[in-house]
Each structure stands twice: as C-alpha cells, then as structure tokens.
Amino acid sequence: MIKMPYLLFLGDAVDQLAVKVGQGIKDWRSEQSIGQLRLAECNADLGLPDLTLEQGLEKGAKTLVISVANRGGLLSYAWKEVLIDALNQGYDLASGLHNRLSDDSDLVTVANQNDRQLHDVRVPSVKFPIANGKKRSGKRVLGVGTDCSIGKMYTGLALHKEMNSRGMKSTFRSTGQTGILISGDGIPLDAIVADFMSGAVEWLTPSNDDDHWDIIEGQGSLFHVSYSGVTLALIHGGQPDALILCHEPTRQTMRGLPDYHLPSLKDLRSTALSLARIANPDCQVIGISVNTKHLEDNQYESYLNQIEMKLELPTVDPFRQGAERLVDVLQAMT
C-alpha cells in the first residue's frame, strides 16, 4: 500500500496538462494532498501550498508522488537530487512513469539505506491472459475521447460518485497511473505487452451481478496515432454496454501532435460504436462529457446545449455540473 498523505512533486513541468497526475489526485483526493513541491522551472500550479520537503514532513506527508505525466514517461535527471533528498528525509516515493524508480540504482541504494519504499504503479503485477472475447455478466461503461488527456478519468470518477450516492452497484476500474493512485487498485494498461492488453481488461472487469456497473477508466483516443492501441484494447476487452463521448472544446490539435486536428464528435461516435459492436453488438452511445474548464461561466452552458441539440444525446460537464443525467441513462439500462 502507498502511504498517505501525499506531497505532490511537479518537478519542472512545462505546462498545466503535464501535471495531470497531480491534478487528478488533488481534485479527487484533496484530503490526502498536503501540498506541492515545484522546481524553479515549473510552469504548472495545482493551487496547493508550496512546501519544502521539510515542511511536508511537518504537515504529515508520507509519500512524495511524482505528479508529472511527460511524453514518454521519462524520469528526469533534473529531479534526482530532490528524490534522493526525499528518501534521506524519510519519504517513500511513488511514480507512474514508464521509467521505473526501481531501475535507478542510486534511488534503490538510498531507499534501502533508509528503509524506504519505491512504488512503481505502472509496473504490471499480474500475468495477464490473451483475450477470449467471451460475454460476461454485469454492465460496463467506458469513456472514449476525441483526444488523450481530455477528461475520461474525471468522467468515470464522477459517474462512480453519483452511482454511490444512489446506492447503485458500481466499481471504478482504474487503467492508468493516476487512477491507481486515486483508487488504490487497477492495471497500468499502457505498460502491458500489446497482445495481452485486451486480456488484461477482461481480467479487470470480470462477470458480476446483472445490475452492477464497471466504470472503466478511458485511455488515449482512437484518433491519436500515438495512443490509439490502448483505446481499442479497452473497447474490445471491456465489451462496454455504454460509451460516453469525451471532448475538450478549446483544443485545436491533438496532444503532442501539432499536425493532427481533433475529430468531430460525430466521427468519434460512429467510429467508436462500430468498433465496440464487434465485441458487444448491443453497445450504445448514451451521452457526451465535455471538459469546459477553459470556457467562461457565461459560455459553457450554451456550448453544452448546442452539442446536445446537434447530437441528440445528454451533454454535461460532469465535474462542473455533476453526472446525474448520464447516470439516469445508465440506471435505466439495468
């Protein structure tokens, strides 16, 4: 188990989106987020108190969480001094990067010297099977996006919160590093060998009661040439009964791909649904989740109404408004 509370390390993040790991933890586990630690070059801010390592310990922090999701998931050499200092002062370290903390000999040595733990949440701990495509009982919902880093996890967590408030049977199934750090369980899907990704999702979402919903954390985008494979594994391995389209309206190009523009929601709906019906012919697109963080208060409701009229699907910002209308549809399906 990763010890809480956390001090969130933002390092030298280039922008706000680069600290989506820390943002997710802060938004959904605020009571366990003591503060943030930033290097001088950092261009991101979670709105938490800026603390030194010493101040974090005084406030009760147990683990320094590397809260950056950089391209390629690399452990930066510029962070090493801080990480070693944290281990010497009594912190455990947790990371969702592809570069493992446990592969860095310096960190391993200092951790052993201080009896500290290195948590690599992106390391698979199970030998997953190859997918068999057999139909499973229970219900499953998956968020699919016009881009990556667009609000699919927030959509799932908002659904889970609303379902819990109604007493519905549901489980949030984490598939990425941030979700695992928030929920304490899950699979690091993008670190699993490609042939076993769909099987891992089947393993994560086993047969359940007919009225139980598995809320599968979405990843990547079918339209993102770097990360489409992980999305398709979720669609086929998850066999979702319901899809929710996720979108961020102010983004002009795909994350990290300046030559690629976002697809339309209509294109996303038709593409995702046709692929989902290969594994589950009864799958439906039941609503749209829009990340309106960058729209003003007097803009976002009008935008949501326009999308809803155009696509004739319930359209909400579940973080800003709540997920009630989306859960209404899911509840009617059980």
Side-chain angles (χ1 to χ4, degrees):
M1 294 294 293
I2 302 174
K3 296 177 183 177
M4 298 183 183
Y6 297 150
L7 177 61
L8 304 180
F9 179 58
L10 309 191
D12 50 0
V14 296
D15 57 22
Q16 198 67 25
L17 196 54
V19 295
K20 69 172 188 175
V21 175
Q23 189 71 58
I25 296 171
K26 181 249 184 178
D27 286 344
W28 294 98
R29 288 292 180 268
S30 59
E31 74 282 1
Q32 300 293 351
S33 303
I34 296 296
Q36 63 187 16
L37 174 59
R38 300 185 288 172
L39 299 180
E41 301 84 0
C42 183
N43 293 318
D45 186 355
L46 297 177
L48 292 169
D50 284 297
L51 303 177
T52 64
L53 290 172
E54 294 81 2
Q55 291 169 334
L57 287 174
E58 290 173 1
K59 291 183 175 292
K62 303 295 185 183
T63 302
L64 183 71
V65 178
I66 296 176
S67 302
V68 183
N70 56 24
R71 188 170 176 83
L74 302 177
L75 182 64
S76 172
Y77 181 79
W79 306 342
K80 283 282 292 290
E81 183 177 348
V82 174
L83 301 182
I84 289 174
D85 194 12
L87 291 168
N88 281 325
Q89 291 197 37
Y91 285 89
D92 291 344
L93 299 182
S95 169
L97 298 172
H98 283 298
N99 279 164
R100 302 179 183 183
L101 298 171
S102 57
D103 286 341
D104 188 294
S105 59
D106 294 333
L107 295 179
V108 171
T109 297
V110 177
N112 290 336
Q113 289 172 348
N114 292 279
D115 195 25
R116 298 291 94 199
Q117 298 297 312
L118 302 176
H119 298 282
D120 288 301
V121 301
R122 222 169 188 164
V123 178
S125 58
V126 175
K127 187 176 181 180
F128 297 110
I130 292 176
N132 57 39
K134 293 181 179 178
K135 181 65 177 176
R136 308 186 294 283
S137 58
K139 297 289 187 181
R140 291 161 191 85
V141 57
L142 171 69
V144 291
T146 52
D147 195 5
C148 58
S149 303
I150 212 161
K152 298 179 292 294
M153 182 189 73
Y154 276 56
T155 300
L157 288 166
L159 291 173
H160 186 48
K161 180 180 179 181
E162 178 61 23
M163 286 183 176
N164 278 346
S165 73
R166 299 186 187 194
M168 296 174 63
K169 298 176 184 177
S170 68
T171 306
F172 178 73
R173 303 294 189 181
S174 304
T175 61
Q177 71 271 29
T178 309
I180 293 171
L181 286 164
I182 291 170
S183 67
D185 196 10
I187 60 171
L189 189 58
D190 63 0
I192 295 170
V193 174
D195 279 357
F196 301 94
M197 287 195 298
S198 291
V201 181
E202 288 185 350
W203 175 91
L204 182 69
T205 59
S207 290
N208 216 312
D209 296 339
D210 289 341
D211 59 348
H212 177 279
W213 280 96
D214 270 347
I215 304 164
I216 307 171
E217 179 188 0
Q219 300 290 339
S221 170
L222 291 170
F223 292 83
H224 198 293
V225 296
S226 303
Y227 308 120
S228 56
V230 70
T231 312
L232 189 57
L234 286 164
I235 290 173
H236 285 169
Q239 296 182 0
D241 299 277
L243 294 175
I244 295 175
L245 310 183
C246 301
H247 182 57
E248 204 278 70
T250 67
R251 198 175 297 184
Q252 299 301 311
T253 59
M254 305 292 277
R255 175 70 171 165
L257 299 176
D259 296 328
Y260 287 79
H261 293 277
L262 273 66
S264 69
L265 284 164
K266 284 187 176 181
D267 285 344
L268 174 62
R269 177 173 62 182
S270 61
T271 300
L273 189 58
S274 64
L275 291 170
R277 285 182 171 172
I278 294 172
N280 182 356
D282 296 324
C283 183
Q284 305 174 46
V285 175
I286 64 94
I288 302 172
S289 170
V290 181
N291 176 358
T292 66
K293 180 179 180 179
H294 299 298
L295 295 181
E296 299 295 334
D297 290 344
N298 60 352
Q299 293 178 309
Y300 84 92
E301 289 186 347
S302 174
Y303 181 84
L304 296 178
N305 290 336
Q306 291 175 22
I307 295 297
E308 182 158 340
M309 291 178 61
K310 188 175 182 180
L311 276 78
E312 299 182 331
L313 288 167
T315 303
V316 302
D317 182 330
F319 189 68
R320 200 169 192 171
Q321 299 175 309
E324 290 89 346
R325 295 181 64 212
L326 299 177
V327 174
D328 286 344
V329 181
L330 298 175
Q331 193 166 24
M333 295 173 62
T334 53

